[in-house]
Amino acid sequence: MASLTQAKCLVVKIGSALLVDRSAGGLRRDWLVSLAEDIAWLKASGIDVVIVSSGSIALGRGVLKLPSADLPLEQSQAAAAVGQIRLARAYEEVLDPHGIMTAQVLVTLDDSRNRRRYLNSRATLEQLLSMNVVPIVNENDTIATDEIRFGDNDRLAAQIAVTVGADQLVLLSDVDGFYSANPLQDKSAKRFDIVDDITAEIEAMAGDAGSGLSKGGMKTKLMAAKLATGAGCKMAITNGFAQNPLRALQNGAPATWFTADTDPSAARKRWIAGMKPAGTLELDAGAIAALHAGKSLLPAGVSRVTGSFQRGDAVAICDAQGHALGNGLVRYTAEEAARIMGRKSHEIEDVLGYPARAALIHRDDMAL
Ligand code: GLU
């Protein structure tokens, strides 16, 4: 079973039912204070932490005194707008006493589907983590309509874990794991400690255990597990209702861990290696040696650019004879690459007329 303190980057998803008191409609503040203690403990162990938190609609609903039934879209969007500001402030209030900075990041489904926006959200999250900030992520429910939304934060959390290259994802939920059947309906249902493989049989066991406040059930949790583990990120489902839920998980509270057979950087390289290149970059011998030594590809080492590609596309990295050495995700368009090839990094801004990214292909974005 995974140990939280071994994570390099941990994404924690908080379900609405944990944050918001179902009957009173307000925040469960004591619980949130205890969660902040856990986050502070993990941060002090040198772990990057990203929180994906639900609760904007549930909180806003309480403030606006809306009924507890399903809301029409415009009302849930309005509730999200009212609730989100309180949600973000609550995290700031409980983490600040630990000296932990927070940031609000609201995303939509398009931010993972559209390459350019995906790269932008990835860069922003990486920047925040490098500044030791804990990003508090939620879907931008105020502008997302049904056709263009994740709808549940289980899959959103898995997508965020993949985006930042996290190695562990914990879904703090109101169920303590993945069961062979719905435990509320079937007394013989058994919880799995570990799932190594999400087989068709496992998928058939996922009923739809929604809790009333949150959108996700076991189906969305399994989809999240597939997405995360496929990218080398282990995932746990555990009941987060009691105080200090992450400590409890570390100390052996009931949970289901979905294992991953690879790590995030190997999974990413495999994904890049499998992409169809939209063009090629031909390199001189010095640049090839630098890449093999683990360096990023700088424009100075490129002698020829072919194909038509956009920022973020895969290109083949070739030697002077045109033999492919591998793939990389390029940070410039084909047109820009042709203009800056052979140039020293400090010349790029003059050539392009705008500030440059130093690398043409970052070393993390390469599979040789
Ligand atoms: N994004 C929604 C909210 O913050 C919650 C979605 C979910 O419960 O999974 O209210």
Side-chain angles (χ1 to χ4, degrees):
M1 240 170 277
S3 159
L4 289 186
T5 49
Q6 275 163 11
K8 290 195 195 73
C9 178
L10 173 71
V11 175
V12 184
K13 182 251 168 173
I14 322 281
S16 299
L18 307 181
L19 262 172
V20 182
D21 191 312
R22 208 181 299 218
S23 45
L27 206 60
R28 293 180 63 223
R29 196 165 282 276
D30 290 349
W31 178 86
L32 193 57
V33 166
S34 83
L35 179 80
E37 289 164 9
D38 289 1
I39 305 284
W41 154 64
L42 292 165
K43 290 289 293 169
S45 320
I47 301 165
D48 285 337
V49 179
V50 179
I51 295 176
V52 175
S53 183
S54 306
S56 68
I57 297 174
L59 274 178
R61 186 199 288 272
V63 175
L64 294 169
K65 307 214 166 11
L66 295 170
S68 61
D70 265 356
L71 298 175
L73 180 65
E74 305 75 47
Q75 283 190 18
S76 65
Q77 289 177 317
V82 169
Q84 181 61 37
I85 195 168
R86 287 166 171 80
L87 187 62
R89 189 169 61 215
Y91 279 102
E92 203 211 333
E93 278 169 6
V94 296
L95 286 166
D96 181 67
H98 296 281
I100 296 175
M101 292 178 285
T102 49
Q104 172 181 261
V105 178
L106 297 179
V107 296
T108 61
L109 188 57
D110 264 354
D111 294 312
S112 61
R113 285 194 176 154
N114 172 303
R115 177 64 61 73
R116 214 190 152 82
R117 290 174 61 165
Y118 166 78
L119 290 172
N120 284 338
S121 54
R122 179 179 158 93
T124 306
L125 287 166
E126 278 174 355
Q127 183 66 48
L128 288 168
L129 291 176
S130 77
M131 294 167 138
N132 217 10
V133 174
V134 174
I136 314 291
V137 184
N138 196 0
E139 181 158 24
N140 196 345
D141 293 307
T142 297
I143 58 158
T145 56
D146 286 337
E147 318 78 70
I148 55 153
R149 70 203 315 238
F150 280 97
D152 68 87
N153 276 5
D154 297 327
R155 283 177 302 160
L156 173 65
Q159 180 59 52
I160 292 294
V162 175
T163 302
V164 299
D167 52 348
Q168 292 190 26
L169 165 63
V170 173
L171 304 184
L172 292 180
S173 172
D174 52 1
V175 283
D176 63 5
F178 183 75
Y179 281 79
S180 55
N182 185 342
L184 299 176
Q185 289 159 7
D186 183 348
K187 289 283 160 263
S188 69
K190 292 227 154 40
R191 185 181 51 76
F192 292 87
D193 284 330
I194 294 184
V195 176
D196 286 320
D197 218 351
I198 303 168
T199 57
E201 198 188 344
I202 292 282
E203 285 190 65
M205 293 171 186
D208 220 15
S211 69
L213 271 186
S214 46
K215 289 273 184 290
M218 267 308 150
K219 275 213 181 80
T220 62
K221 289 185 175 49
L222 266 196
M223 284 156 93
K226 273 189 167 170
L227 186 60
T229 58
C233 177
K234 304 178 185 71
M235 189 189 101
I237 301 174
T238 190
N239 188 330
F241 202 78
Q243 310 252 319
N244 300 100
L246 295 170
R247 276 272 186 200
L249 177 61
Q250 177 73 3
N251 294 338
T256 300
W257 276 99
F258 294 83
T259 62
D261 60 6
T262 176
D263 62 75
S265 91
R268 188 169 157 76
K269 285 195 189 294
R270 201 163 62 190
W271 170 66
I272 292 169
M275 289 174 89
K276 190 167 169 293
T280 62
L281 299 179
E282 245 171 61
L283 272 51
D284 62 31
I288 292 172
L291 296 198
H292 284 303
K295 299 260 166 43
S296 296
L297 175 63
L298 303 179
V302 177
S303 43
R304 205 163 100 93
V305 176
T306 67
S308 95
F309 47 82
Q310 294 303 312
R311 184 180 158 225
D313 280 347
V315 294
I317 300 168
C318 300
D319 64 15
Q321 286 74 45
H323 298 129
L325 307 169
N327 276 351
L329 303 182
V330 71
R331 299 202 168 187
Y332 287 94
T333 66
E335 197 241 335
E336 291 168 325
R339 285 167 64 199
I340 61 176
M341 69 178 187
R343 300 296 193 120
K344 295 262 178 289
S345 296
H346 69 261
E347 299 172 335
I348 296 176
E349 180 163 357
D350 279 344
V351 176
L352 294 178
Y354 42 84
R357 288 172 279 272
L360 200 49
I361 299 179
H362 190 273
R363 60 199 174 117
D364 295 343
D365 295 338
M366 246 183 259
L368 294 180

